[in-house]
Amino acid sequence: MIVVRKMEPSEASAVKKVGQRAFGIVESLFVTRPKEAMIALLDDKIVGGIIIKYIVSDGKKIGYYDGAFIDSDYQGLGIGNKLYAETTKYLWEQGCDALCALVKDDNVGSWKLFLNNGFSQTSIKEGIHQLGLGTMLKTYFTTPFFIANGMEFYLAVKYQSVQSKVCKTGSQIALYLLVNFLLMLPTLFMGRSNFGLFISAYMVLLIGGVLFSYIGTLFSKRQWYFRMNSGGAALAAFINLSGAFPMIGSWYPEKYENTQAFKKDMGISALWEWLFVLGVTFIALLLEPLYFRYMAQIGGVFLIFRILIFYPFESFGGRRVYLWNKGWYGVLTVLSILLLMFS
């Protein structure tokens, strides 16, 4: 029998261990000993939990889901459905005016549970409209939102409907390119030499990535749309001061499925984008002008991002390839490493 209840203080260490097992190598390092959490028990064993924090600003109390996890040995048993529902009910009972969470772009298991419990995947603009500028800013900087690369913002407001993020492909592509251009601008004022050549090479790689990943979607019968993720702007801006780290934008299917055919379609789209970066980087290495040297440098960085399939790099597409076909992932990884070695 599944039981969901509030965590006792003496159970905090056990909850932390379950959370660390449930997350990836890097993410597990950030699972802290919770002060407050809702836990799921199966036969008196802790098998899942949601760590809770509160944000208080301008007279509003916001319940924040700081981490949600189910032990991998107990997934698929309906534990998540009950855990999320009971946690949401508990937080409303605590007098919260709104609830929010951050979810990775492809984590369909988690974001569906939020949608089923009254949340909307929404924009920062809508967050400001619902919470006010001060409260939204505090939420942005007191949670991982500002460094949460590849993550989306989910929000529920008491007695009010929240407008879902509008994802018109054309406007989202334009926004993706504009924001990444603007996040690179501070390097101009920091004295980056040949900024025009650098930003031109950077934007060509981003535009080509959008185009070639779209070509990959044409091999499936699914309906796709382009979306730029909301999280991680501050992280991108900081890394851009000495490198290149774009915010995530990608093609997403209208409907998600937990099937191998679905993983294949996602993987092929990411495969085409990876092949584009490989090809452009290879050609740029053969050419002498400074512009192509910048393109080869940026392309090399983008290849590294695709090889690394753990957070915060997994949203660059390598993980999609890995989940679909480990053989293709291995081939592209070897080709990328060889190219990097001889660059």
Side-chain angles (χ1 to χ4, degrees):
M1 180 179 177
I2 302 168
V3 175
V4 176
R5 61 169 172 80
K6 186 178 178 181
M7 177 195 75
E8 297 293 338
S10 61
E11 296 171 317
S13 295
V15 173
K16 178 183 176 181
K17 289 180 181 179
V18 173
Q20 288 176 324
R21 287 200 302 271
F23 286 110
I25 297 172
V26 175
E27 291 166 281
S28 65
L29 299 175
F30 296 94
V31 177
T32 58
R33 194 173 186 272
K35 294 180 179 179
E36 185 172 352
M38 292 290 285
I39 58 174
L41 299 99
L42 184 62
D43 299 328
D44 295 324
K45 179 181 179 181
I46 298 173
V47 294
I50 295 179
I51 299 173
I52 297 166
K53 290 185 179 179
Y54 298 101
I55 302 163
V56 179
S57 175
D58 296 333
K60 299 183 182 73
K61 182 179 181 181
I62 315 298
Y64 172 63
Y65 294 63
D66 194 35
F69 45 85
I70 305 295
D71 191 307
S72 58
D73 293 335
Y74 295 91
Q75 293 180 1
L77 302 177
I79 296 170
N81 290 323
K82 189 167 185 178
L83 177 60
Y84 278 67
E86 290 296 322
T87 301
T88 302
K89 179 183 176 183
Y90 169 78
L91 286 172
W92 289 133
E93 291 173 347
Q94 302 312 299
C96 289
D97 299 290
L99 310 177
C100 66
L102 298 168
V103 184
K104 285 189 285 188
D105 57 349
D106 283 348
N107 188 357
V108 60
S110 188
W111 61 250
K112 272 194 173 181
L113 290 170
F114 280 113
L115 295 179
N116 292 341
N117 284 282
F119 286 72
S120 297
Q121 182 195 96
T122 194
S123 64
I124 294 176
K125 179 181 177 182
E126 178 67 8
I128 294 171
H129 172 72
Q130 293 286 348
L131 305 178
L133 178 59
T135 302
M136 187 63 211
L137 283 173
K138 188 170 183 179
T139 300
Y140 189 81
F141 286 107
T142 59
T143 70
F145 201 165
F146 70 107
I147 58 170
N149 195 48
M151 290 197 180
E152 290 288 9
F153 183 54
Y154 286 74
L155 179 68
V157 178
K158 200 168 190 177
Y159 307 130
Q160 292 189 50
S161 60
V162 177
Q163 182 180 339
S164 296
K165 189 174 184 178
V166 178
C167 295
K168 295 181 179 179
T169 291
S171 60
Q172 284 289 299
I173 292 174
L175 181 65
Y176 167 70
L177 296 174
L178 176 62
V179 169
N180 278 305
F181 174 82
L182 293 175
L183 288 175
M184 193 61 78
L185 271 184
T187 65
L188 173 63
F189 304 105
M190 295 286 289
R192 186 192 289 270
S193 60
N194 301 300
F195 177 80
L197 293 176
F198 181 88
I199 194 66
S200 175
Y202 181 66
M203 298 305 294
V204 165
L205 281 163
L206 293 183
I207 293 168
V210 172
L211 176 62
F212 273 76
S213 57
Y214 171 71
I215 292 172
T217 68
L218 300 178
F219 290 87
S220 81
K221 296 180 180 180
R222 303 178 193 276
Q223 297 296 314
W224 299 73
Y225 66 96
F226 188 90
R227 186 178 82 236
M228 177 183 165
N229 299 150
S230 299
L235 177 66
F238 177 74
I239 295 177
N240 283 346
L241 294 176
S242 58
F245 191 86
M247 285 186 69
I248 297 296
S250 189
W251 293 93
Y252 298 91
E254 293 284 353
K255 296 181 180 179
Y256 273 67
E257 303 170 6
N258 188 21
T259 64
Q260 189 58 36
F262 177 81
K263 292 177 181 178
K264 178 181 178 181
D265 291 341
M266 296 279 280
I268 288 176
S269 175
L271 173 78
W272 272 82
E273 185 174 4
W274 196 338
L275 287 171
F276 162 74
V277 178
L278 262 172
V280 168
T281 305
F282 175 73
I283 293 171
L285 285 170
L286 301 177
L287 302 172
E288 289 295 327
L290 182 60
Y291 172 77
F292 293 105
R293 275 188 271 162
Y294 281 134
M295 186 167 285
Q297 290 172 7
I298 300 168
V301 172
F302 285 7
L303 289 175
I304 294 171
F305 291 166
R306 282 158 176 80
I307 293 170
L308 303 175
I309 56 174
F310 50 81
Y311 189 79
F313 306 102
E314 60 189 80
S315 294
F316 285 100
R319 184 170 175 80
R320 286 187 176 187
V321 178
Y322 177 83
L323 292 175
W324 158 51
N325 190 306
K326 294 178 178 59
W328 268 114
Y329 169 78
V331 169
L332 290 175
T333 296
V334 170
L335 290 175
S336 297
I337 291 173
L338 287 173
L339 194 59
L340 290 167
M341 287 174 62
F342 291 103
S343 63

